[in-house]
Each structure stands twice: as structure tokens, then as C-alpha cells.
Amino acid sequence: MRQYSALPNRPLQPRTGVHGPSQVLPPRVTLDDPALAVMTDFQKVTAFTIDPDVSVDTAARVMRRRNVHLLLVMSGESHVLGIITSNDLLGEKTLQCISSRGIARADALVRVIMTPESRLEVISLDDVMYAHVGHVVATLKAKGRQHATVVDEDASGHQILRGLFSCSQIARQLGEPVETIEIAQTFAEISAALK
């Protein structure tokens, strides 16, 4: 049997960081470039997640620290329960929760403010594979959304969240703003907007 020698050890230096997965997106794109050129791919980068039972203030701190505008709300079994965006945290949803429940902002939980999975719409990776950046921009504008989620299927045929499109990311890569107007999708959202 072959003998192996131990590898040399050395002390860990102060302020040592940790490598993370990285996806390098092209710095500039046009509307005719492949849609994949602007998709955050969760096979290449870590999705930022949050527990549903933390406060909205904690979610806001996580977003600022990670420099993102959306967090996936995950169950203990690693299933998507919903999403929460910076617009949710700063907008009417949080204010309505606080006033209707008579609670302090610090007591408002992500699970109450998030958009639940039952209300999320997704785009199939099969469609994204043949789409262009222009298709993604048109989809975000048509839906009045800042983000769009992309799903693939696992070996069992179940959906698995594969990636994300973000207006702010696309705008950076296009070098021009991508304007979308938030559209109320339910009667409750329309009524809340009219109050």
C-alpha cells in the first residue's frame, strides 16, 4: 500500500475571507443578446434566502448587506415559501401590516409581508434558453414587476428554482434604465391601492 505524507499546515491569517460561487455576466448587453446573459443562475451563484419568521427589519438588513433587492423565503425543508422584495419592505404592504395589526415595525414578520408561493408566476428555463434580453424586458414590463423567477425541473419532474431576472441587473448591463410600473394583480391589491 502506498504511503502518503501529511500536508504542511500554517496559521490562518487575520481577515481571511471565503471563496463563494461566482457567475460572470457580460458587462454590456443589447436587447438582442441571449436572455441567459442577464439571468442570475442559481447553479453558479448562491441564492440569498431568509426565514419566514424573522422581522422585516432583519430582512432589510440582509438585503443591504448582500446588496440585493429580493430574498427567497425558505422553509426549514428548503422549499420556496415566497419572496420578499425591498419594495415590499419599504412600501404599502409593511405599513398596512403594522396599522391593521396594531404592531410595531420591529414585530412585523417576513411571512406576513412576503408574496407567497401560491401567487408567484415563473418562467420555464426551456423558454429562456431561446429568448433574448428584449423578451425578458417585455415580460417584466407586461407584468409590472422588478423581478422574474426561472424554474427548471429536477430528475423527478418537480419544479426547482433555477434563476432570477432583475430589472436593476438588466439596466446595469444594458446601460440604460428599465422602467416597469407595478401592476396590482388581485382585487385586494387594487382596493388597498385605492385607500
Side-chain angles (χ1 to χ4, degrees):
M1 191 160 101
R2 185 172 176 187
Q3 294 292 322
Y4 296 93
S5 60
L7 298 173
N9 289 297
R10 63 187 73 167
L12 180 68
Q13 296 175 354
R15 302 179 56 84
T16 298
V18 176
H19 272 287
S22 66
Q23 173 185 14
V24 179
L25 294 173
R28 286 280 184 239
V29 295
T30 68
L31 294 173
D32 292 327
D33 282 321
L36 289 174
V38 294
M39 183 180 90
T40 300
D41 187 341
F42 295 145
Q43 282 191 335
K44 298 177 181 175
V45 296
T46 302
F48 295 123
T49 64
I50 196 141
D51 185 274
D53 294 316
V54 301
S55 73
V56 294
D57 288 342
T58 299
R61 280 192 300 276
V62 170
M63 285 184 196
R64 279 193 304 276
R65 188 174 57 240
R66 300 288 187 188
N67 197 28
V68 295
H69 297 282
L70 178 144
L71 297 170
L72 301 175
V73 183
M74 303 296 285
S75 71
E77 298 81 33
S78 297
H79 295 121
V80 177
L81 297 175
I83 62 169
I84 190 157
T85 68
S86 55
N87 286 345
D88 295 336
L89 298 174
L90 301 172
E92 287 295 314
K93 278 182 161 183
T94 300
L95 294 175
Q96 286 175 354
C97 171
I98 291 167
S99 66
S100 69
R101 292 172 181 239
I103 59 174
R105 180 177 170 88
D107 296 327
L109 299 180
V110 166
R111 81 166 48 257
V112 178
I113 307 300
M114 72 180 189
T115 301
E117 54 88 20
S118 61
R119 290 195 28 233
L120 293 177
E121 294 178 337
V122 295
I123 302 170
S124 170
L125 183 62
D126 291 339
D127 293 328
V128 171
M129 298 295 284
Y130 302 102
H132 298 276
V133 173
H135 294 115
V136 176
V137 171
T139 302
L140 291 167
K141 285 182 177 185
K143 291 293 183 179
R145 299 289 185 230
Q146 294 291 311
H147 300 90
T149 50
V150 178
V151 293
D152 200 359
E153 289 186 357
D154 64 16
S156 306
H158 295 100
Q159 283 185 343
I160 185 163
L161 202 57
R162 173 62 186 271
L164 180 73
F165 291 113
S166 161
C167 274
S168 59
Q169 176 68 41
I170 294 169
R172 275 193 300 276
Q173 288 182 259
L174 282 172
E176 61 186 68
V178 175
E179 301 290 332
T180 64
I181 299 169
E182 183 111 6
I183 299 170
Q185 299 293 321
T186 67
F187 180 73
E189 288 175 335
I190 293 167
S191 317
L194 295 175
K195 288 182 181 178

